[in-house]
């Protein structure tokens, strides 16, 4: 009886929130803040070619540190990665890093695609810019600009395998992409802000300006993790710039969607879920899993500089902190494996490339500050995440993503979802884990978007 009454109360409040949304939000105009330390003078608009070139001094220092590491507490018997990274496996990785990982080879691979640096709003921003080459002489083949944004604890390393797929003709598609893949401010070779306030909406302004600097008036955008939040903000704040938004982490986290997720646990068909129940529910499983996996989030959102200092103190600490995420976020089942399932989807070289980006740029502290900026009350008060997204949207839902939401709930925020794909395999690091599946989904989404706009123009 009590349960029924509670459900009725919940349902009615859900309906009220759904049908009587709070008054229309105005799209705020964010200031073009200068985030750098030099406040005077006009910033240079120069676009400088860039190559990763880590000084020998930095590499020698790393070699020394890896050779003089401490002995870490052995993991408890039979716990695999359930207490965090297994130091037993960590030692394997650190040995490999010291003895077999060849940076000059890896650096050459990372330098294979053209990179640049340009100053946007006082910050040097690093990006890959790859134009398709050797295209067949097909007059109907269009080249479309696509901005790719990574997240934490990732980097542009995640895009190395998908870049060649997106810049070459794809079966049955009459377009290819020109890729712009930047490092987020404060990540890798992009400088971090020197004063507070650089959250995802402010990064959206930075990347709108980067695309403008490169001469793109309108473009496609794609992202996962923070990249998904930043691209969503770009679509909400600058819809006139964005032809289409493709996301591998579509999300809407308002009170109303939370309520509906709860209701959906008991009445899945009310939120349009008639199959694939376990992708979204029960909410209790999703909730407890989030609690278990989000401790890092709380500390980074509240004390980013403390955790950043601890983790940047040694390559071992940095690798432990970052690699644990690449295990669990690929699949939570990996926690039960002694090797964390790390090499199921990645090579140790690839994983260490990403750790190297954080190490050589010493950017873990500036990277984790994004959590604090995006979750403080001043930023929440802007209510950017409540703005509707009215551009054509494609959501790729990977089965091992930490949080997946039904299309019906996402539609309360993304009003033009033209593609919602339940992907067959893969987790949080879609481009890194399943580049071909992701590329295919992006091509299909862009094809639909192009056809829609052609139909509108006709
Ligand atoms: C690392 O790779 C470079 C380039 O392939 C090669 O010249 C060098 O000998 C390698 N270093 C080691 C220690 O294997």
């Amino acid at each position: 009886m009590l349960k029924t009454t509670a459900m009725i109360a919940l349902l009615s409040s859900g309906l009220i929130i759904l049908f009587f949304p709070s008054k229309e939000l105005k799209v705020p105009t964010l200031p073009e803040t200068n985030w750098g330390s030099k406040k005077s003078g006009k910033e240079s608009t120069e676009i400088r070619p860039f190559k990763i070139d880590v000084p020998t001094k930095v590499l020698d220092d790393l070699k020394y540190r890896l050779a003089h590491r401490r002995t870490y507490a052995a993991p408890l018997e039979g716990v695999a990665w359930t207490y965090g990274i297994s130091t037993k496996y960590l030692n394997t990785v650190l040995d490999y890093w010291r003895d077999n990982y060849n940076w000059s080879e890896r650096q050459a691979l990372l330098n294979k695609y053209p990179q640049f640096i340009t100053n946007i709003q006082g910050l040097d921003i690093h990006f890959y810019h790859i134009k398709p080459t050797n295209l067949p002489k097909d007059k109907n083949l269009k080249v479309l600009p696509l901005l790719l944004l990574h997240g934490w604890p990732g980097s542009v390393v995640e895009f190395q395998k998908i870049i060649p797929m997106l810049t070459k003709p794809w079966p049955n598609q009459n377009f290819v992409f020109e890729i712009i893949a930047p490092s987020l401010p404060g990540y890798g070779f992009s400088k971090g802000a020197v004063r507070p306030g650089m959250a995802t909406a402010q990064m959206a302004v930075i990347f709108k300006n980067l695309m403008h600097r490169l001469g793109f008036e309108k473009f496609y955008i794609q992202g996962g993790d923070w990249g998904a939040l930043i691209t969503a903000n770009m679509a909400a704040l600058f819809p006139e710039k964005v032809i289409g938004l493709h996301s591998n982490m579509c999300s809407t986290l308002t009170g109303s969607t939370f309520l509906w997720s709860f209701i959906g646990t008991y009445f899945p068909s009310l939120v349009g879920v008639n199959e694939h129940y376990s992708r979204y529910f029960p909410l209790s499983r999703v909730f407890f899993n989030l609690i278990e996996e989000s401790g890092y989030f709380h500390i980074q959102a509240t004390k980013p500089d403390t955790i950043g200092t601890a983790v940047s103190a040694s390559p071992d600490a940095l690798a432990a902190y970052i690699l644990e995420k690449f295990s669990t976020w690929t699949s939570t089942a990996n926690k039960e494996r002694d090797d964390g399932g790390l090499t199921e989807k990645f090579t140790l070289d690839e994983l260490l490339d990403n750790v190297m980006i954080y190490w050589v740029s010493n950017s873990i502290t500036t990277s984790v500050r994004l959590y604090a900026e995006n979750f403080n009350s001043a930023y929440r008060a802007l209510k950017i995440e409540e703005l509707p997204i009215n551009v054509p949207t494609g959501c790729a839902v990977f089965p091992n993503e930490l949080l997946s939401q039904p299309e019906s709930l996402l539609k309360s925020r993304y009003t033009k979802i033209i593609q919602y794909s339940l992907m067959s395999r893969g987790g949080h690091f879609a481009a890194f884990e399943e580049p071909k599946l992701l590329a295919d989904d992006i091509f299909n989404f862009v094809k639909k978007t192009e056809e829609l706009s052609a139909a509108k123009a006709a």
Side-chain angles (χ1 to χ4, degrees), residues 63 98-106 108:
K63 206 182 272 173
R98 184 193 58 202
D99 302 332
N100 303 102
Y101 179 79
N102 184 334
W103 175 247
S104 64
E105 230 168 56
R106 303 306 298 174

Side-chain angles (χ1 to χ4, degrees), residues 225 248-249 276 278-280 285-286 289-290 293 324-335 337 340-341 344-346 396-405 421-430 433-434 437:
D225 195 85
N248 53 288
M249 208 181 79
H276 309 293
S278 61
R279 284 221 188 200
Y280 316 105
R285 172 184 58 79
V286 176
N289 188 44
L290 274 180
E293 295 306 329
E324 182 223 281
K325 300 297 175 234
F326 279 86
S327 163
T328 322
W329 295 356
T330 298
S331 168
T332 48
N334 280 342
K335 279 184 286 192
R337 297 174 55 159
E344 190 79 10
K345 296 286 185 82
F346 318 110
V397 184
F398 285 84
N400 294 339
E401 184 55 273
L402 294 171
L403 180 69
S404 300
Q405 293 178 295
S421 314
L422 290 174
M423 308 303 285
S424 56
R425 56 174 193 277
H428 187 70
F429 303 100
E433 289 177 51
E434 296 292 349
L437 292 184

